Amino acid sequence: MPTYFHSTRGNADMLTSKQAIRQGLAHDGGLFVTDDLGNYRVDVESLQGGDYQGIARQILGTLLPDFNDTELWECIDAAYGSQWDDPSITPLRQLGDDYVLELFHGPTCAFKDVALQMLPRLMARTGYGVPDDANASREDGMRTASAARERIMILTATSGDTGKAALEGFADAPDTGITVFYPEGKVSEVQRRQMTTQRGGNVHVCAVRGNFDDAQSAVKRIFGDERIAADLASGSHVRLSSANSINVGRLVPQVVYYFCAYLQLMERNAITAGDEVEFVVPTGNFGDILAGYYAKRLGLPVARLTVASDRNNVLYDFLTTGTYDRERPFFQTTSPSMDILVSSNLERMLYYMSDGDSDLVDSLMGDLKHRGSFTVPSALLSRIQELFGCGWADEDEVSRAIHDCWEHDHYLMDPHTACGYHVMRMQEQAHERTQEHGSAKARVLLSTASPYKFPRVVGRSIGLNCPDGDFECMDALAQATSTEAPDQLRGLSDLPERFTDVIDIAEMPQYVIRAANTLS
Ligand SMILES: *Cc1c(COP(=O)(O)O)cnc(C)c1O
């Protein structure tokens, strides 16, 4: 029985994992899920002694079964190679009584690299023009003469991190281009330079006059514009696609590092096989933490998954009250990648935790769209709360967390990770108040970005007098802490800026069409 993917909202289409990755989102607006999750287990002990790539082979093969062995190895070898500055890809470090799993050793120094180094490689192997044994029997009428030459233009609006990670992943990918829009003057100097210096013959980077929401809304309008889609399809055989975190091909690679963390705990004799562990996960879109849930369903002994939010604490409110309400003020914080009010991947969790009740999910998402909020039945909330904990930190708490962690443990962390650190300390205080014994289980904090991506916030938090420029600030941070700025970031100040276009929001469709025409 092959594994099929279908919408969380009940649309009856059944897709292979390749088709689900290529399509991204289901036609009814739902997210692709498979009911096979939980039917296949990964034997943790059998992974012992293996490397990250070997673990990835097991997990990807289990969750994306229509990719053959050769394809998976090609993708894994290319995605997790020398562009990572640590041989274990996601190294585990001890932090007091706890552990930190560092997910930021990839080319852009943020955890999105784990998924975005893989997604383009997977996507390149979903093409109908590239026949292969595994695909040959699954055409489902989708292979047509013109589709054989179809190219993809990835389109993204970014507030900073995602755009760069996507550019790096898709740079020079075959039959693919990528266009990234960022709000002029609203990203940091490091973030801007990361994008404007991007290498690759198929990349387009453009500043827009407006804020992130304006750019994001314009991108959504372009995706929804049938005339643009028809013109691009007939003219240059280009299909617009997105690299955002609802794609199955972004979610699945993230499951791997939960297993990798567990195996590293075993190697250190911090746990023995079968022991349950807890994870604390800085989350915005619910992507990172959902991967932990998938790991649990594959058999990883996970006792608890704790969501750590910033001041945009919509997930905290949901997990404590059962009501998700996006009608609230939006805060621009020092952890910009978690500044999110609509947490898209939550929908997959609701699907699985309700035992696949797509009618329920459909009606909840309808409520969210039309009324701005939804409330889950109390029995479902209780089930969710048994597994998912939550907490959040405001900016002062983030700053103090960075400071305290540096003072106590001599470990420098970024503002996103610091939200999680704060939440861990709150968990301990709660244990003390209730006189419960602190949980004896090993606890792992996922660290999602290098502190050097946010040198100003980190420097100020530990009491430095930060110089004006971001790069001078990196140097000051390095000197004060005897740590080293990653080359990928420090070296940016010497690279030439390739992209200097600044356009109005209204000019974005034309920009996309011109970029797409360069693909054919
Ligand atoms: C994207 C991002 C997050 C949040 O990830 P989700 O997939 O939304 O859970 C956290 N930290 C950093 C640095 C990020 O870039």
Side-chain angles (χ1 to χ4, degrees), residues 31 246 470:
L31 276 54
I246 48 98
D470 274 6

Side-chain angles (χ1 to χ4, degrees), residues 407-423:
E407 288 288 308
H408 297 156
D409 297 311
H410 239 61
Y411 184 84
L412 205 57
M413 58 176 44
D414 97 290
H416 301 79
T417 310
C419 291
Y421 186 83
H422 175 77
V423 169

Side-chain angles (χ1 to χ4, degrees), residues 104 109-113 160-162 165 191 245 250-251 254 257 281-290 308 315 335-340 343-345 414-417 446-450 453-454:
F104 54 76
C109 301
F111 100 102
K112 289 186 175 67
D113 287 332
D161 280 350
T162 309
Q191 288 175 320
S245 72
R250 258 188 80 171
L251 182 60
Q254 296 180 196
Y257 52 70
V281 188
T283 286
N285 215 12
F286 212 78
D288 200 358
I289 196 157
L290 185 73
L315 282 170
S335 43
S337 299
M338 284 157 53
D339 291 344
I340 284 170
S343 208
S344 312
N345 264 306
D414 97 290
H416 301 79
T417 310
L446 302 198
S447 177
T448 52
S450 160
K453 262 204 112 163
F454 306 92

Side-chain angles (χ1 to χ4, degrees), residues 193-516:
R193 277 190 168 267
Q194 275 194 303
M195 293 188 277
T196 58
T197 59
Q198 177 63 46
R199 73 189 164 84
N202 62 340
V203 303
H204 308 265
V205 176
C206 183
V208 295
R209 295 183 196 97
N211 60 30
F212 169 66
D213 280 334
D214 300 332
Q216 175 85 315
S217 304
V219 163
K220 284 189 180 152
R221 279 197 302 277
I222 295 171
F223 275 126
D225 189 325
E226 286 170 16
R227 238 192 19 229
I228 294 180
D231 282 358
L232 290 180
S234 65
S236 32
H237 300 293
V238 172
R239 183 217 290 237
L240 297 179
S241 185
S242 129
N244 73 22
S245 72
I246 48 98
N247 195 304
V248 174
R250 258 188 80 171
L251 182 60
V252 168
Q254 296 180 196
V255 179
V256 178
Y257 52 70
Y258 283 90
F259 279 86
C260 183
Y262 194 90
L263 288 156
Q264 290 182 76
L265 285 169
M266 282 173 64
E267 265 166 38
R268 289 160 182 251
N269 297 318
I271 57 168
T272 53
D275 286 352
E276 290 197 313
V277 299
E278 300 185 4
F279 290 93
V280 175
V281 188
T283 286
N285 215 12
F286 212 78
D288 200 358
I289 196 157
L290 185 73
Y293 175 73
Y294 276 47
K296 182 177 172 68
R297 296 293 301 268
L298 288 178
L300 194 72
V302 176
R304 198 157 185 76
L305 292 162
T306 297
V307 170
S309 303
D310 66 18
R311 196 168 163 213
N312 295 290
N313 57 1
V314 61
L315 282 170
Y316 174 87
D317 286 351
F318 169 66
L319 290 167
T320 45
T321 67
T323 295
Y324 191 101
D325 186 359
R326 69 162 199 216
E327 300 295 328
R328 55 172 67 219
F330 173 82
F331 300 110
Q332 204 164 344
T333 74
T334 50
S335 43
S337 299
M338 284 157 53
D339 291 344
I340 284 170
L341 294 184
V342 178
S343 208
S344 312
N345 264 306
L346 186 65
E347 184 170 344
R348 284 196 171 101
M349 186 268 260
L350 295 171
Y351 177 85
Y352 284 118
M353 294 302 280
S354 67
D355 290 326
D357 188 344
S358 49
D359 290 340
L360 175 70
V361 174
D362 189 47
S363 101
L364 296 177
M365 293 304 133
D367 287 350
L368 184 64
K369 184 168 178 197
H370 300 297
R371 297 196 207 137
S373 70
F374 66 78
T375 301
V376 296
S378 61
L380 176 54
L381 177 63
S382 304
R383 277 188 76 179
I384 293 171
Q385 287 172 332
E386 275 171 34
L387 178 59
F388 290 95
C390 59
W392 66 283
D394 67 24
E395 284 123 300
D396 289 341
E397 289 164 334
V398 164
S399 184
R400 217 171 315 133
I402 294 171
H403 173 267
D404 291 352
C405 183
W406 173 248
E407 288 288 308
H408 297 156
D409 297 311
H410 239 61
Y411 184 84
L412 205 57
M413 58 176 44
D414 97 290
H416 301 79
T417 310
C419 291
Y421 186 83
H422 175 77
V423 169
M424 291 208 306
R425 298 286 86 87
M426 298 311 286
Q427 284 180 336
E428 280 148 27
Q429 285 176 19
H431 283 313
E432 277 165 26
R433 265 202 309 280
T434 55
Q435 312 237 305
E436 259 179 54
H437 285 297
S439 132
K441 299 186 178 84
R443 195 167 54 164
V444 180
L445 168 63
L446 302 198
S447 177
T448 52
S450 160
Y452 281 94
K453 262 204 112 163
F454 306 92
R456 194 156 301 279
V457 182
V458 173
R460 271 204 311 259
S461 300
I462 65 166
L464 283 188
N465 225 334
C466 293
D468 275 347
D470 274 6
F471 295 99
E472 291 75 15
C473 199
M474 277 185 206
D475 294 341
L477 191 58
Q479 200 178 13
T481 61
S482 301
T483 59
E484 244 178 87
D487 291 341
Q488 306 95 295
L489 297 178
R490 186 61 191 89
L492 287 170
S493 65
D494 302 328
L495 292 179
E497 296 195 56
R498 297 177 60 201
F499 303 98
T500 51
D501 288 344
V502 186
I503 63 173
D504 287 327
I505 297 283
E507 297 173 281
M508 285 170 60
Q510 271 311 313
Y511 189 94
V512 171
I513 290 166
R514 268 203 313 277

Side-chain angles (χ1 to χ4, degrees), residues 118-180:
M118 178 56 76
L119 174 69
R121 274 122 190 163
L122 293 173
M123 198 167 295
R125 287 160 180 83
T126 63
Y128 313 119
V130 193
D132 63 70
D133 296 343
N135 215 19
S137 59
R138 303 230 182 103
E139 294 172 18
D140 298 344
M142 292 186 67
R143 187 182 296 191
T144 65
S146 70
R149 291 196 311 277
E150 184 184 70
R151 290 166 171 82
I152 289 180
M153 175 58 81
I154 303 289
L155 198 54
T156 305
T158 186
S159 55
D161 280 350
T162 309
K164 174 58 184 180
L167 284 165
E168 196 59 42
F170 281 97
D172 291 331
D175 294 328
T176 311
I178 174 164
T179 303
V180 171

